[in-house]
Amino acid sequence: MTTTADLPVVVIGAGPTGLAAAAHLVERGIEPLVLEAGPAAASSVRDWSHVRLFSTWGEVTDPAAEKLLAPAGWTRPDATTYPSGGDWAARYLQPLADALGDRVRYTATVTGVSRAGRDRIVDADRETQPFVVHFTTADGGEERVVARAVIDASGTWTTPGPAGAGGLPALGEKAAADRITYRVPDLKDPAVRDRYAGRRTAVIGSGASAFTALATLAGVAKAEPGTHAVWILRRGISGATFGGGTADQLPARGALGLAAKAAVDNGHADAVTGFRTEAIERDEDGRLILVGEDGRRLDPVDEVIVLTGFRPDLSFLSEIRLGLDERLQAPTELAPLIDPNQHSCGTVYPHGHSELSHPDPGIYLVGMKSYGRAPTFLAMTGYEQVRSVTAAIAGDLESADRVELTLPETGVCGGAGLFDGQAADQAAGPATDQADGGGCCAAPVPAAVSSPLDLDGCAVAGEV
């Protein structure tokens, strides 16, 4: 007779946190089934393969995953060096997925999760029912699997924030899609470089991704006359705008902010402050004109790079009872610990299954998705989350309740709730607008700086 304990745990997303969760489950003798929407492991990470993390190899691999990889002869790269997204995927994440074998299914897009025979209204025997996970396959077919628990590590990569300051697309934003990107462009790619070289580009956002875009565009400007950036900030510039600099315990992250500052100081970018985009119009030549809520109309630009953070896709969880903070869309107990008005990546208290629990027991949002709209996530946080969550699923509450993580201090991530000029009143406070945050703390590497951004969590069906 099959019992709930005999069922697998479904992990949504074959990114860093999802694969780490699967490795921890295997270590505890629990069978995982990883459903990844992309055609390979870490599909979202591969989307930003040109980005170098600002965390070292020593900070982006998980101990349980390393144990699973060891029999295949895998050895961790030099712990003091910084991988790119491509390195992370090819040298760690794909080998980890390969080690998990048939426990990982690709091109499997989750479309719904529920309790067996119970929509979100029904109370009767709800907590005793297993989960049912529906997903589509590459050929368009539909399947479902029954699970004892669900770990959603699907990240936020596929749902970037819009240019509109109110959280909705600006008027005309969708119509201007041919000249807008929501990712840091790979300016080493000749075809992509041609799109921006010799042109005027608006960069909307104030997080690490925006820093990277500014720094890389400045690099192009040195070689290609006429290349110029217009940096759009929703509030003013203060001493904290460019992050922690040399005081950041993740040196590459601090250097990234300094590179962005250099882009402005050297005249490769102009900063437009207190500008909240309301509409995007075209001029007679097809160039884009940004219109602010205060009526300001900026000079036309050829391209717009929107880097205003990410948000979780909760659509396939509509039949599950989730307890989410009304602002951050993060688990209710976790939200106060990660509120970017109060915390940066390094000041978030390590947390686990208790803070990640929901009214429907047995389902957990982990990785970047667990942070909702807070732009303060680090890969090692996700690894600690799944260590605790898998221990709880296994019934080992002593281990699940134990904290096994110390985070580095940061001066970059945080400051989501400040409005416009308030930033100037913060002597050394956080500087990233929630909507403008470089979610995942990440971005591509400027030439003079090594290693920006730690983009864990932001992924297609799985975290980065």
Side-chain angles (χ1 to χ4, degrees):
M1 174 176 163
T2 300
T3 66
T4 301
D6 297 321
L7 297 173
V9 172
V10 167
V11 178
I12 306 174
T17 305
L19 292 174
H24 280 274
L25 289 166
V26 169
E27 187 174 52
R28 288 185 171 275
I30 300 173
E31 192 67 13
L33 175 62
V34 182
L35 301 177
E36 164 61 46
S43 293
S44 292
V45 176
R46 297 173 194 272
D47 280 351
W48 49 270
S49 60
H50 59 292
V51 171
R52 191 167 301 279
L53 282 71
F54 55 50
S55 293
T56 64
W57 270 112
E59 297 162 329
V60 297
T61 60
D62 175 81
E66 291 189 23
K67 291 178 184 177
L68 189 63
L69 284 164
W74 183 87
T75 56
R76 186 174 66 186
D78 183 348
T80 65
T81 60
Y82 297 90
S84 66
D87 295 334
W88 204 14
R91 301 178 65 184
Y92 169 64
L93 297 171
Q94 188 61 59
L96 177 54
D98 293 342
L100 288 164
D102 292 341
R103 299 181 180 101
V104 181
R105 289 194 60 176
Y106 301 113
T107 59
T109 303
V110 173
T111 57
V113 181
S114 71
R115 290 283 191 179
R118 309 288 189 275
D119 62 23
R120 68 183 298 156
I121 298 176
V122 179
D123 291 333
D125 299 321
R126 185 177 188 86
E127 294 187 6
T128 65
Q129 301 305 307
F131 292 93
V132 177
V133 181
H134 287 228
F135 60 96
T136 58
T137 57
D139 60 3
E142 295 180 279
E143 296 185 30
R144 73 175 196 169
V145 62
V146 181
R148 64 184 287 186
V150 175
I151 299 174
D152 182 358
S154 60
T156 57
W157 181 250
T158 59
T159 47
L168 300 176
L171 298 179
E173 183 171 345
K174 293 180 180 179
D178 60 317
R179 289 178 179 257
I180 300 176
T181 184
Y182 297 86
R183 305 288 189 266
V184 176
D186 181 4
L187 297 181
K188 292 182 181 179
D189 181 326
V192 176
R193 186 184 179 93
D194 286 346
R195 179 173 173 175
Y196 299 94
R199 291 176 171 81
R200 181 179 169 86
T201 299
V203 177
I204 304 177
S206 63
S209 295
F211 291 169
T212 297
L214 292 169
T216 52
L217 285 169
V220 174
K222 294 175 183 177
E224 302 282 353
T227 305
H228 196 77
V230 181
W231 186 20
I232 310 299
L233 296 106
R234 294 174 180 172
R235 58 171 182 256
I237 291 180
S238 72
T241 297
F242 298 98
T246 57
D248 197 315
Q249 287 189 19
L250 291 177
R253 182 173 55 196
L256 183 57
L258 296 178
K261 185 175 187 301
V264 175
D265 291 346
N266 294 333
H268 299 304
D270 296 324
V272 178
T273 60
F275 190 92
R276 308 181 77 82
T277 306
E278 182 175 78
I280 300 177
E281 302 175 355
R282 288 186 188 266
D283 69 6
E284 58 185 14
D285 297 321
R287 302 174 80 200
L288 302 183
I289 299 171
L290 302 185
V291 182
E293 292 179 344
D294 57 3
R296 277 186 290 170
R297 300 170 63 86
L298 303 186
D299 291 338
V301 295
D302 300 286
E303 300 285 342
V304 177
I305 302 174
V306 179
L307 300 168
T308 56
F310 296 84
R311 53 189 61 179
D313 176 7
L314 302 169
S315 61
F316 60 84
L317 300 174
S318 62
E319 297 308 316
I320 293 296
R321 296 177 179 179
L322 299 177
L324 298 176
D325 179 76
E326 63 183 10
R327 294 179 304 137
L328 297 184
Q329 294 181 299
T332 306
E333 297 300 315
L334 176 61
L337 304 180
I338 63 172
D339 185 347
N341 290 290
Q342 305 294 329
H343 297 283
S344 67
C345 298
T347 63
V348 172
Y349 186 79
H351 52 273
H353 75 106
S354 294
E355 294 84 359
L356 298 170
S357 296
H358 294 277
D360 261 335
I363 186 164
Y364 301 92
L365 276 57
V366 299
M368 188 65 211
K369 188 165 186 176
S370 71
Y371 272 41
R373 299 192 181 201
T376 52
F377 194 77
L378 290 173
M380 62 186 87
T381 300
Y383 297 154
E384 171 65 8
Q385 287 179 340
V386 297
R387 184 204 62 76
S388 173
V389 163
T390 55
I393 292 172
D396 183 359
L397 293 183
E398 180 182 355
S399 177
D401 291 336
R402 190 166 58 242
V403 174
E404 298 183 0
L405 174 66
T406 301
L407 293 171
E409 293 295 333
T410 172
V412 174
C413 299
L418 298 178
F419 191 88
D420 293 347
Q422 285 181 289
D425 297 328
Q426 303 291 312
T432 303
D433 185 282
Q434 177 180 355
D436 288 351
C440 314
C441 308
V445 162
V449 187
S450 68
S451 79
L453 186 86
D454 188 347
L455 228 158
D456 183 90
C458 305
V460 170
E463 328 239 313
V464 290

